[in-house]
Amino acid sequence: MGKVEEFEELRPLLFSIAYRILGSVSEAEDAVQDAWLRFDGSATRPASTKAFLSATVTRLSIDVLRSARVRREAYVGPWFPEPLLSDPYEDPARSVELADSVSMAALVLLERLSPPERAVFVLREVFAFGFDDVAAAVGRSETACRQLLVRARRHMEAGRRRFDVDRRERRELATRFLGALKDGDVGGLRHLLAADVQLVGDSGGKAPQLARAVVGAESVARLLGTVFPLLARVDVSFEPHQVNGQPGAIFRDRDGRVLYVLVLDVLDGRIQTVRSVINPDKLGHLGPVADAWAVDREAKRARRRAT
């Protein structure tokens, strides 16, 4: 097998590692491409191509993450990862771990970890790499990596809420939610929301967004039941879609451009968190991006005309 074929076979795994470390589709793709350039430029073939490329993409991702964390400290409002519509890497033996680790909630928790902790957690806990390969990837001893993993697990477990794993039930709940949203059915929405549900958005200060999280079933239902009917008046539509392994939807303007992405966290038959990503910088990999400010102004004019 040639270098190109070996690399392409491993590309899904490399992207999945990089995305979980970085929380960015574009940065993960860049890290994978840089890993290819180093592999292609190497005069010798490694004993294990998988180990070499996984270590290379991990080190590249750690370097990018260190600089990204400085930018994120000055980020306006909540930070969410770039929406991922489908994870290219599949492993039936670890399907639950893979799905859980790519969720918005898990990636937000990973932000609490240091870059080495995050890399060790992803390689060992998510992809089940041996500690020898983990140590080679992060440039630490196996003993140090075990200690990093203990700290990472502690941080993750302290903030993690387990979500429903029955995909059929989640899809059905999401279908009912989106139907009520489309109809502006406040009562229907309220019935589907947990009492302490949170509605929170990531605009990065680059699109209209809530000033703060909205908490509570009544408040969230009333806001959602009011906002979407207004957007529908200016031909905003949505299509249900899995986002980061969770039920969600992509919202588009009248020209089909991506306006924002909605993601739902589901637990015990109720929606626990409604997350929206509207920062245009995080939507470009999904297609042409709408001018959210223009849509917002048009919706406000439509509301004034209606009243």
Side-chain angles (χ1 to χ4, degrees):
M1 185 183 295
K3 275 191 171 183
V4 173
E5 291 78 14
E6 279 191 286
F7 179 81
E8 290 302 325
E9 186 174 276
L10 290 166
R11 182 189 288 273
L13 171 64
L14 301 177
F15 173 85
S16 294
I17 291 171
Y19 177 76
R20 285 165 174 80
I21 295 174
L22 294 167
S24 166
V25 172
S26 55
E27 289 176 344
E29 289 174 343
D30 288 344
V32 171
Q33 182 60 26
D34 287 347
W36 158 250
L37 293 174
R38 298 191 181 198
F39 178 53
D40 187 45
S42 175
T44 59
R45 296 291 282 270
S48 168
T49 301
K50 177 182 176 181
F52 173 83
L53 285 171
S54 298
T56 301
V57 83
T58 296
R59 287 193 293 267
L60 289 166
S61 297
I62 289 174
D63 289 343
V64 172
L65 182 60
R66 285 186 171 125
S67 61
R69 287 171 74 90
V70 174
R71 298 194 303 272
R72 290 172 192 175
E73 288 174 0
Y75 196 81
V76 177
W79 178 92
F80 295 153
E82 290 182 8
L84 183 68
L85 300 188
S86 61
D87 187 354
Y89 179 72
E90 296 181 359
D91 181 354
R94 303 188 62 79
S95 59
V96 174
E97 293 92 334
L98 289 170
D100 182 61
S101 66
V102 83
S103 71
M104 286 271 180
L107 291 171
V108 168
L109 283 176
L110 281 170
E111 279 292 295
R112 301 180 182 183
L113 308 183
S114 70
E117 287 173 344
R118 187 163 179 165
V120 169
F121 185 88
V122 167
L123 291 175
R124 178 63 182 175
E125 198 78 353
V126 179
F127 294 99
F129 276 70
F131 274 107
D132 53 344
D133 288 331
V134 174
V138 299
R140 305 286 182 92
S141 68
E142 291 188 32
T143 300
C145 288
R146 292 178 189 276
Q147 294 171 344
L148 288 169
L149 182 62
V150 169
R151 291 202 297 269
R153 283 175 173 165
R154 188 185 307 126
H155 287 303
M156 294 295 288
E157 290 300 329
R160 176 174 291 175
R161 300 175 72 174
R162 295 291 179 182
F163 300 108
D164 287 348
V165 297
D166 190 313
R167 293 188 177 184
R168 182 182 60 81
E169 290 183 4
R170 289 189 308 179
R171 283 197 302 268
E172 290 178 355
L173 182 63
T175 297
R176 293 162 58 197
F177 172 86
L178 293 171
L181 181 67
K182 187 175 183 178
D183 295 338
D185 180 0
V186 174
L189 288 167
R190 187 191 305 115
H191 178 70
L192 301 172
L193 301 173
D196 58 349
V197 64
Q198 292 191 44
L199 170 64
V200 60
D202 174 353
S203 72
K206 298 183 178 183
Q209 187 52 273
L210 302 169
R212 59 181 63 86
V214 179
V215 181
E218 182 66 30
S219 298
V220 172
R222 288 195 176 279
L223 180 60
L224 291 174
T226 300
V227 169
F228 184 73
L230 289 174
L231 292 174
R233 291 178 185 174
V234 295
D235 300 323
V236 169
S237 61
F238 64 81
E239 57 196 50
H241 210 294
Q242 285 286 108
V243 182
N244 287 76
Q246 304 293 112
I250 301 173
F251 288 70
R252 299 181 184 276
D253 70 3
R254 62 165 55 95
D255 297 315
R257 295 173 298 191
V258 179
L259 181 61
Y260 64 95
V261 171
L262 204 69
V263 191
L264 308 175
D265 289 340
V266 178
L267 178 67
D268 297 331
R270 291 289 184 272
I271 295 168
Q272 302 289 323
T273 310
V274 182
R275 292 184 172 89
S276 66
V277 179
I278 195 170
N279 183 341
D281 294 346
K282 296 186 176 184
L283 302 174
H285 62 287
L286 303 179
V289 179
D291 183 343
W293 294 109
V295 172
D296 183 61
R297 289 192 297 270
E298 189 176 0
K300 288 176 178 176
R301 286 196 297 268
R303 180 176 59 184
R304 289 194 295 269
R305 288 195 297 269
T307 56

